Amino acid sequence: MNQNPMNTYYLLGRSGLRVSRLALGTMNFGVAGFHAGYGKTEEDAEAIFRRYVEAGGNFIDTADFYTAGQSERILGRLIRRAGNRDEVVLTSKFTNTVDQTTRPNPNASGNGRAHIVRAVEASLRRLDTDYLDLYLLHTWDRITPVEEVVRTLDNLVREGKIRYAGLSDVPAWYAARAQTYAEVHGLSPIITVQLPYSLAERSLEAEYVSMAQNLGIGLTAWSPLGGGLLTGKYTRAGDGVSGEGRIANPDAPSKPLTERDWAAVDALREAADTVGAPMAQVALAWALARPGITSLVTGASSVRQLESNLAATGLTLPAEVITTLNAATAPEPTAPYAMFTPQYQSWVINPGVVVADQPATFSRPVINGATD
């Protein structure tokens, strides 16, 4: 019997890479750079890291940009002390500049081959490892040809510096182009796209889910708690917000909260009361149950917060709660997506009949190992 939900792993995209349902985000490992305001010392980070792997987690997410490189350096030391390099799926990213020189260098950032090669070598040194299990383009730079990115990542796989390649924060057409190009030319495929997704941010549903399902790409969601909004620690304060955290800090970069944001918080609070679980756990459990989502990237400021997040993997929401949350937070479909809804198509394309792609019993999951 599998008593620990964190000991259940799923393939990431069309690959053989097994990953945890919750990935450990380490953007707050370190106290320097852009993320220094909420960073953690190495001692605090080690406690979080060790508890995560003890619980069965194996998916570690970082980037060269996080805490000016401290996140990677700290992770390298933590993994070395734990002696578990072969057990973790170590992920890093490139795009943003980490160049500390005063002279501008346009090739020290972006997604061109020169920067990718330089960035991966630097990440390997900081992480004190010979390879990365997964390497992601961090953000679309709008100008580098997608073919150059895909071929460069394929070269890194062939050289053994990375095992798998992925993307983060790119348009759906860009990810589709990258995957199709890789397939046509026999190159290493894109196995994941990492995007923001939560009850408060569901815009990816319009394109990315069907794109990922059709092209063999696993979606990993960052900020599944809406930057802390969905934890319940923030409340309205007139036209603003009160609470301890980035969202309530006027000096921290964050978008203003909307009525739709507050509607998501209100619906989540009611759902949490119904289920008898913390709001954060309900928000994570909802995201874990959504189509196309393989894993959620969640950070933690303490072991206690991590424990609460981990508990979400064992929380199954009642169908009526999911239905209520879906309805309360559903994004308004815009053109042309409104034409692709079941309601529209049953009215215009298939009036009076039901047409589906396959029966519900057509495909059943393959499960290896003990289950409850």
Side-chain angles (χ1 to χ4, degrees), residues 174-317:
Y174 185 96
R177 170 68 177 168
Q179 188 71 319
T180 304
Y181 184 82
E183 289 178 345
V184 169
H185 295 278
L187 305 176
S188 299
I190 301 302
I191 70 168
T192 187
V193 174
Q194 190 178 113
L195 299 159
Y197 186 56
S198 70
L199 276 165
E201 177 49 77
R202 296 176 58 181
S203 57
L204 69 77
E205 293 176 8
E207 289 259 18
Y208 291 92
V209 173
S210 57
M211 179 273 296
Q213 290 171 329
N214 280 279
L215 295 179
I217 298 172
L219 296 180
T220 50
W222 63 265
S223 197
L225 293 176
L229 174 66
L230 301 176
T231 64
K233 66 180 180 180
Y234 297 105
T235 57
R236 294 177 188 252
D239 294 332
V241 56
S242 65
E244 294 186 5
R246 282 177 287 164
I247 293 178
N249 183 353
D251 297 325
S254 62
K255 68 180 182 66
L257 297 182
T258 65
E259 285 301 317
R260 189 176 175 282
D261 291 325
W262 289 119
V265 171
D266 293 341
L268 180 59
R269 183 173 287 109
E270 292 182 14
D273 290 341
T274 299
V275 175
M279 290 174 62
Q281 287 183 15
V282 174
L284 293 174
W286 174 88
L288 285 170
R290 298 299 293 164
I293 301 297
T294 301
S295 186
L296 308 180
V297 182
T298 57
S301 60
S302 65
V303 172
R304 180 179 178 182
Q305 186 181 80
L306 174 66
E307 294 279 10
S308 180
N309 291 346
L310 294 174
T313 60
L315 178 62
T316 300
L317 301 179

Side-chain angles (χ1 to χ4, degrees), residues 31 70 74 131 137 214 236:
V31 291
Q70 281 191 7
I74 289 173
Y131 67 97
L137 176 154
N214 280 279
R236 294 177 188 252

Side-chain angles (χ1 to χ4, degrees), residues 16-290:
L17 188 64
R18 288 89 159 160
V19 298
S20 307
R21 301 249 41 213
L22 290 188
L24 180 63
T26 63
M27 188 170 65
N28 64 340
F29 281 21
V31 291
F34 184 76
H35 309 95
Y38 49 90
K40 296 297 172 182
T41 65
E42 184 166 337
E43 181 180 6
D44 291 335
E46 183 163 21
I48 294 168
F49 171 83
R50 286 190 174 274
R51 181 64 195 113
Y52 173 76
V53 296
E54 286 169 2
N58 77 334
F59 199 5
I60 312 292
D61 181 90
T62 188
D64 56 5
F65 180 63
Y66 294 164
T67 55
Q70 281 191 7
S71 175
E72 288 186 326
R73 293 188 183 93
I74 289 173
L75 267 178
R77 291 191 289 268
L78 297 184
I79 292 171
R80 184 170 64 252
R81 290 201 289 268
N84 62 351
R85 176 64 190 91
D86 291 338
E87 300 170 24
V88 298
V89 175
L90 185 56
T91 305
S92 195
K93 315 181 193 75
F94 65 88
T95 296
N96 301 323
T97 183
V98 293
D99 193 351
Q100 302 299 313
T101 65
T102 57
R103 292 180 299 175
N105 181 357
N107 288 304
S109 61
N111 300 323
R113 184 187 306 271
H115 179 58
I116 296 175
V117 172
R118 177 188 299 178
V120 73
E121 295 289 356
S123 285
L124 292 174
R125 287 194 299 271
R126 285 189 291 265
L127 287 161
D128 191 20
T129 185
D130 296 328
Y131 67 97
L132 292 169
D133 297 282
L134 179 61
Y135 199 40
L136 305 182
L137 176 154
H138 203 158
T139 309
W140 182 44
D141 67 6
R142 304 190 300 164
I143 55 177
T144 304
V146 65
E147 298 85 356
E148 180 173 334
V149 173
V150 172
R151 285 200 173 274
T152 304
L153 291 173
D154 177 73
N155 288 342
L156 295 181
V157 172
R158 295 174 188 274
E159 292 170 2
K161 294 178 180 177
I162 68 174
R163 299 290 192 257
Y164 297 94
L167 306 170
S168 171
D169 299 333
V170 298
W173 69 261
Y174 185 96
R177 170 68 177 168
Q179 188 71 319
T180 304
Y181 184 82
E183 289 178 345
V184 169
H185 295 278
L187 305 176
S188 299
I190 301 302
I191 70 168
T192 187
V193 174
Q194 190 178 113
L195 299 159
Y197 186 56
S198 70
L199 276 165
E201 177 49 77
R202 296 176 58 181
S203 57
L204 69 77
E205 293 176 8
E207 289 259 18
Y208 291 92
V209 173
S210 57
M211 179 273 296
Q213 290 171 329
N214 280 279
L215 295 179
I217 298 172
L219 296 180
T220 50
W222 63 265
S223 197
L225 293 176
L229 174 66
L230 301 176
T231 64
K233 66 180 180 180
Y234 297 105
T235 57
R236 294 177 188 252
D239 294 332
V241 56
S242 65
E244 294 186 5
R246 282 177 287 164
I247 293 178
N249 183 353
D251 297 325
S254 62
K255 68 180 182 66
L257 297 182
T258 65
E259 285 301 317
R260 189 176 175 282
D261 291 325
W262 289 119
V265 171
D266 293 341
L268 180 59
R269 183 173 287 109
E270 292 182 14
D273 290 341
T274 299
V275 175
M279 290 174 62
Q281 287 183 15
V282 174
L284 293 174
W286 174 88
L288 285 170
R290 298 299 293 164

